[in-house]
Amino acid sequence: MSFHIYVARDGFKSNPISTSDWMDAARQCPKLDLSDEFNRSGVRISVAKLKSNRRQHLSLDPHGLIHAQDPTQELVEVMFELAGLLNAGVYSEKLTRFQSVDDWRDRTNSYRMQRGRQLAEARKRRRRRMAMYIAVIASSVVLGGIIGGRNAG
């Protein structure tokens, strides 16, 4: 369902995941490799990357949320493992809690199908609008030719 997925504790604003808790939990996951990198602001952060797909990674944001962007099912499985270690949950970008990996997959597929239908409808509306513009322009040219021909004669 979500492009952004988070691991957070209940009441995450008052109970954020600390850097040390994050690092301890990430070290316990055999599917993750930890490394230090610099974010866009030039701040050094710890990142956990999937060993099987280094492009899939997790990081702790300043609010104490473990964050993933456009995760694969394998990364979501690891996120549920981390959530168990941290006494936390896995949440969508709208902060709706996922109950399981299957719940995430089902809601993600449903969201993607709905989004696909919305995009198809938007493309259809754009094509209709373009056809209408072309029809108006073509009829204006024909009408202008007819009127111009009468005035010339």
Side-chain angles (χ1 to χ4, degrees), residues 132-152:
M132 185 65 89
Y133 290 145
I134 291 169
V136 167
I137 291 169
S139 60
S140 297
V141 168
V142 169
L143 190 58
I146 293 171
I147 293 172
R150 286 186 184 167
N151 290 338

Side-chain angles (χ1 to χ4, degrees), residues 56-118:
Q56 290 284 298
H57 63 277
L58 300 167
S59 61
L60 184 69
D61 76 8
H63 306 289
L65 304 171
I66 298 171
H67 172 255
Q69 188 171 326
D70 196 20
T72 61
Q73 181 168 327
E74 182 180 11
L75 188 59
V76 173
E77 290 168 358
V78 169
M79 292 178 82
F80 272 95
E81 186 178 333
L82 284 171
L85 293 170
L86 293 165
N87 192 26
V90 179
Y91 294 86
S92 72
E93 57 200 21
K94 295 180 181 177
L95 297 178
T96 304
R97 189 172 184 156
F98 293 110
Q99 300 304 313
S100 66
V101 175
D102 291 337
D103 180 35
W104 167 82
R105 185 182 49 248
D106 293 345
R107 288 166 55 190
T108 297
N109 289 339
S110 174
Y111 171 78
R112 287 180 179 160
M113 286 179 7
Q114 178 185 7
R115 184 72 179 133
R117 285 190 300 269
Q118 289 171 342

Side-chain angles (χ1 to χ4, degrees), residues 3-8 16-23 25-26 32-41 43-50 54-71 75 78-79 82 86 89 91:
F3 186 67
H4 298 274
I5 305 290
Y6 302 94
V7 173
I17 297 170
S18 69
T19 303
S20 61
D21 288 347
W22 151 237
M23 298 300 291
L32 294 176
D33 272 335
L34 285 172
S35 63
D36 286 335
E37 296 181 4
F38 292 95
N39 67 11
R40 293 178 185 163
S41 302
V43 176
R44 187 174 168 179
I45 60 169
S46 295
V47 176
K49 295 182 179 184
L50 277 180
R54 310 257 327 139
R55 297 177 84 184
Q56 290 284 298
H57 63 277
L58 300 167
S59 61
L60 184 69
D61 76 8
H63 306 289
L65 304 171
I66 298 171
H67 172 255
Q69 188 171 326
D70 196 20
L75 188 59
V78 169
M79 292 178 82
L82 284 171
L86 293 165
Y91 294 86

